[in-house]
């Protein structure tokens, strides 16, 4: 893989607007109207969210990520896709470079809801 060029500079204030948190994926389920999306139920410690992610064709068994902690962007507007509501975004590695994506995850188990940045 040849690394992509670095994107244009942003200010620290722009970066600080992102709310990236650790959550535990408690359930991975099918999205009936989609060939690509899976519905992740994610525990953020003080609440649970449904987050849709296009991982259905990226993994032989998408359910293999159940029970794992990962990073999520939690301050995006809710979005309806394939008839389901998504309340955030999985922060994964590889998709943009067209390589098999993997989770961005903490090296040790930490409290759900912990912030990255």
């Amino acid at each position: 893989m040849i690394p992509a060029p670095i994107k244009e500079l942003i200010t620290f204030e722009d970066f600080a607007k992102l709310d990236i948190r650790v959550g535990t994926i408690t359930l991975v389920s099918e999205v009936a109207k989609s060939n690509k999306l899976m519905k992740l139920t994610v525990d953020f410690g003080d609440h649970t969210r449904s987050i849709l992610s296009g991982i259905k064709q990226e993994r032989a068994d998408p359910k293999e990520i159940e029970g794992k902690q990962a990073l999520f962007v939690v301050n995006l507007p809710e979005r309806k896709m394939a008839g389901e509501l998504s309340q955030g975004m999985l922060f994964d590695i590889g998709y943009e470079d067209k390589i098999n994506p993997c989770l961005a995850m903490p090296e040790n188990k930490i409290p759900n809801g912990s912030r990255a940045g």
Side-chain angles (χ1 to χ4, degrees):
M1 182 198 95
I2 298 171
I6 294 175
K7 295 178 181 179
E8 69 181 76
L9 293 178
I10 63 170
T11 66
F12 183 79
E13 290 76 22
D14 289 336
F15 172 74
K17 290 177 185 178
L18 288 174
D19 194 343
I20 302 169
R21 298 193 182 219
V22 172
T24 298
I25 302 164
T26 59
L27 182 66
V28 177
S29 52
E30 295 275 337
V31 174
K33 297 178 183 176
S34 176
N35 294 329
K36 193 168 124 175
L37 296 172
M38 296 295 287
K39 180 179 176 179
L40 311 180
T41 302
V42 184
D43 177 3
F44 288 101
D46 62 345
H47 69 286
T48 300
R49 290 185 180 207
S50 295
I51 295 180
L52 302 181
S53 182
I55 63 169
K56 190 181 278 189
Q57 297 173 353
E58 296 171 357
R59 299 173 177 273
D61 179 12
K63 289 187 165 278
E64 70 187 0
I65 63 173
E66 282 183 2
K68 295 189 185 261
Q69 286 190 309
L71 295 178
F72 297 86
V73 180
V74 296
N75 64 331
L76 293 170
E78 292 183 347
R79 184 173 166 198
K80 200 161 198 171
M81 298 184 286
E84 298 272 351
L85 188 63
S86 185
Q87 300 170 303
M89 184 181 82
L90 174 66
F91 197 89
D92 68 356
I93 302 166
Y95 177 80
E96 289 296 318
D97 292 313
K98 300 186 181 9
I99 60 174
N100 196 28
C102 65
L103 298 178
M105 54 195 297
E107 64 181 276
N108 304 311
K109 187 166 176 64
I110 60 172
N112 289 330
S114 295
R115 294 177 292 166

